[in-house]
Amino acid sequence: MKLHPETKAIRTQVSRSGEREHSVPVYLTSSFTFDSAEQARALFANEIEGNIYSRYSNPNTDEFIAKICQLEGAEDGLAAASGMAAIFGCLAGLLKQGDHVLASRSLFGSSHQILSQILPKWGISFTYADALKTEEWASLVKPNTKVLFLETPSNPGLDIIDLEWACSFAKEHNLISIIDNCFATPVLQRPIEFGADLVQHSATKYIDGQGRAIGGVIVGRKNLIDEIRFFMRHTGPSLSPFNSWLFSKSLETLSIRIEKHCDNAEKIADYLDNHSSVMSVRYPFHHTHPQQELAKKQMERGGGVVCFEPKGGLEKAVQIMDKLTLLSRSANLGDTRTIVTHPATTTHSKLTEEERNAVGISPGLIRIAVGLENANDIIADLDQALGT
Ligand SMILES: *Cc1c(COP(=O)(O)O)cnc(C)c1O
C-alpha cells in the first residue's frame, strides 16, 4: 500500500519490545547485549546490522530518523543532541583544512559563529552570499569551495532562496548543498525534491513542537551521511533515547500542528498589516512579501513565523515586548505557545549592527513565532501591547 507522508509519520515503528505495546517504549539503555562472541565480532566488523551502544544507535533514535527520512524523502539520516550539533557535525564531518564554504548571509545566529569563529581555527574559510542577490553567487565560488549552506525561509528575515535554482547551482559548481529546513519543516517544503544533498533541522522547534527538548537531525544522500556518521559516532553529540522518543511521537502530529500554525500566522499577518502602528509586516505567503511568488513555488504554505516592524523603532519595540501579558517573551520558536522575540537584542545580538542590517534585522524588528492558541486571543494581546 502506498502511504501518504503524514500516515508514514504516524505508523512507522522500527522496534517492538515483545510486550504487545501500542506506543513504542523508551529504550533507556546505554548498551546492548550480544547473543554470542561471533555476533559481537560481526556487529563490530559491520558485517551485520544491529545496536551496540547508544552513542552509535538506539531503537528510539532509529525510529525518529526513519520517520524524518520518510517525510523529507531522504535515503538516510543522523540525529544529534541539538540543531547546532547537527550543523557542526555536518560541516566538520565533510570538510577538511583548506576547504571553503559558501553560505547565505541570512543564517541562524550560532551558524554565523561556527562559520566565522570556529571553523577558521581549523583552516576552513567561508564567504557570505546575499540571499537576495543570487546572480552574484557564481563569482563567490572558489576552487576550494566544497559546500553551499543556506536557510530558507531565513531566521528571522524570512528571505526566500529559490531551492530549485540553488540546488542546480550547487551541482553545476560541484558543491554539496546543505539546507536548513527548520522554519518550513517537511510538511511545507522538501528541499530534496529540488535536488538538495543534505537537509538539516533543529528538532527543538516545530518537530518537538511543544518547547520541551533540544535536538537536531540531518538527512540526505547516503554516502554523505556515512561520512558525517563517522564524525558523529566518534565525537559523540548523539541524541538521547528519551529525546528521540519525544521527537518521534511529536512527528505523529506535525502535519496537523503545522496547518494550525499557518492558519494562525496568516490571521496575525493580516491583523498587523492593517494596524496603524505597524510600519511593515513580513510573512512568506502575504501580499506584502516581495518574494511571495517564489515562496508559493516551493512551499505549501507560509509557516508559523511572522515578523513586523512597529512605527517608532527600537523604543516602541521594547514597549510592545514589555506590555505583552499572554504571549511569551522568549527566544524559542515552533512551540504551541506563541513566543515573541526581539532579535536585535537577543538571538542576533552577537552580530554587528552592520551585519544585522545586511540581513534585514532592523532595531525595531519583532519576531512572532505564532503558536496554537485561538488566533483571536493572540491578536487581543498584540492589540493591547501595540496601542494606537
Ligand atoms: C534554532 C535553530 C537552529 C539551532 O538549533 P538548536 O536546536 O537550538 O541547536 C538552527 N537553525 C535554525 C533556523 C534555528 O531556528
Side-chain angles (χ1 to χ4, degrees):
M1 195 167 24
K2 192 171 178 328
L3 299 176
H4 294 85
E6 66 268 35
T7 309
K8 288 183 186 165
I10 290 170
R11 304 295 327 190
T12 297
Q13 197 164 356
V14 167
S15 183
R16 298 267 180 193
S17 76
E19 294 292 341
R20 287 178 284 108
E21 73 279 353
H22 190 213
S23 176
V24 71
V26 189
Y27 290 88
L28 277 181
T29 179
S30 16
S31 68
F32 299 83
T33 54
F34 312 119
D35 293 339
S36 63
E38 166 51 23
Q39 190 197 35
R41 185 205 61 77
L43 278 165
F44 274 80
N46 275 330
E47 289 169 13
I48 54 172
E49 277 192 19
N51 296 307
I52 296 173
Y53 189 56
S54 285
R55 168 152 51 81
Y56 295 177
S57 69
N58 173 284
N60 296 113
T61 312
D62 288 350
E63 182 180 292
F64 168 51
I65 294 168
K67 284 183 179 178
I68 193 83
C69 283
Q70 283 171 338
L71 291 172
E72 289 283 6
E75 289 172 2
D76 201 358
L78 290 164
S82 67
M84 291 324 301
I87 292 175
F88 180 68
C90 184
L91 294 171
L94 295 173
L95 298 172
K96 61 179 190 318
Q97 185 178 18
D99 286 341
H100 173 256
V101 179
L102 182 61
S104 163
R105 193 187 300 279
S106 305
L107 285 183
F108 184 70
S110 291
S111 300
H112 282 289
Q113 304 300 335
I114 289 182
L115 290 173
S116 65
Q117 308 296 324
I118 298 173
L119 292 181
K121 292 205 286 188
W122 295 298
I124 298 164
S125 60
F126 74 102
T127 302
Y128 281 140
D130 192 321
L132 301 178
K133 293 188 190 141
T134 48
E135 69 281 2
E136 293 175 358
W137 288 17
S139 67
L140 304 174
V141 175
K142 299 181 180 187
N144 58 340
T145 309
K146 201 162 166 205
V147 157
L148 175 69
F149 178 35
L150 58 91
E151 199 177 298
T152 180
S154 68
N155 176 16
L158 301 172
D159 291 333
I160 311 290
I161 295 168
D162 187 335
L163 282 172
E164 193 177 5
W165 176 85
C167 296
S168 70
F169 168 85
K171 282 202 173 65
E172 194 185 315
H173 294 275
N174 209 15
L175 314 177
I176 300 167
S177 51
I178 307 174
I179 317 293
D180 186 332
N181 200 30
C182 177
F183 266 45
T185 81
V187 175
L188 301 178
Q189 173 175 279
R190 290 163 298 280
I192 289 171
E193 289 177 1
F194 298 103
D197 295 313
L198 293 167
V199 174
Q200 169 272 320
H201 284 279
S202 165
T204 315
K205 313 296 168 51
Y206 292 101
I207 290 177
D208 174 42
Q210 287 146 88
R212 303 167 298 188
I214 304 278
V217 67
I218 177 133
V219 302
R221 272 172 41 199
K222 184 166 176 6
N223 61 327
L224 298 174
I225 292 290
D226 282 342
E227 234 177 294
I228 303 164
R229 180 178 287 118
F230 177 81
F231 178 85
M232 301 290 265
R233 282 190 164 191
H234 298 296
T235 57
S238 39
L239 185 63
S240 76
F242 183 75
N243 286 357
S244 299
W245 177 84
L246 270 184
F247 295 146
S248 183
K249 294 305 284 179
S250 286
L251 284 179
E252 297 180 10
T253 56
L254 183 68
S255 68
I256 188 167
R257 284 187 283 108
I258 292 292
E259 293 298 337
K260 175 80 173 172
H261 279 294
C262 293
D263 289 345
N264 279 356
E266 285 167 9
K267 288 179 188 152
I268 308 303
D270 282 339
Y271 159 77
L272 290 167
D273 187 32
N274 289 314
H275 198 289
S276 60
S277 303
V278 172
M279 195 161 75
S280 64
V281 181
R282 269 185 241 170
Y283 182 66
F285 271 37
H286 198 260
H287 68 88
T288 54
H289 197 295
Q291 297 173 290
Q292 189 198 12
E293 287 313 310
L294 176 56
K296 287 188 169 165
K297 187 184 124 192
Q298 63 192 27
M299 296 172 73
E300 310 275 351
R301 296 185 71 183
V305 176
V306 180
C307 292
F308 75 101
E309 210 173 326
K311 289 178 186 160
L314 176 64
E315 202 180 329
K316 178 72 175 177
V318 169
Q319 252 175 38
I320 295 169
M321 295 297 299
D322 285 344
K323 277 193 184 163
L324 296 169
T325 57
L326 175 73
L327 310 184
S328 313
R329 281 178 293 273
S330 185
N332 196 14
L333 63 100
D335 200 328
T336 53
R337 300 161 174 226
T338 298
I339 290 175
V340 187
T341 310
H342 181 245
T345 54
T346 59
T347 51
H348 289 70
S349 58
K350 303 284 187 304
L351 272 62
T352 64
E353 193 171 347
E354 197 181 9
E355 286 168 333
R356 278 196 295 273
N357 285 333
V359 292
I361 306 174
S362 58
L365 187 80
I366 292 178
R367 181 184 81 187
I368 309 176
V370 180
L372 305 183
E373 302 97 335
N374 184 302
N376 294 325
D377 295 334
I378 302 172
I379 288 172
D381 197 27
L382 288 173
D383 208 47
Q384 64 78 24
L386 276 161
T388 46

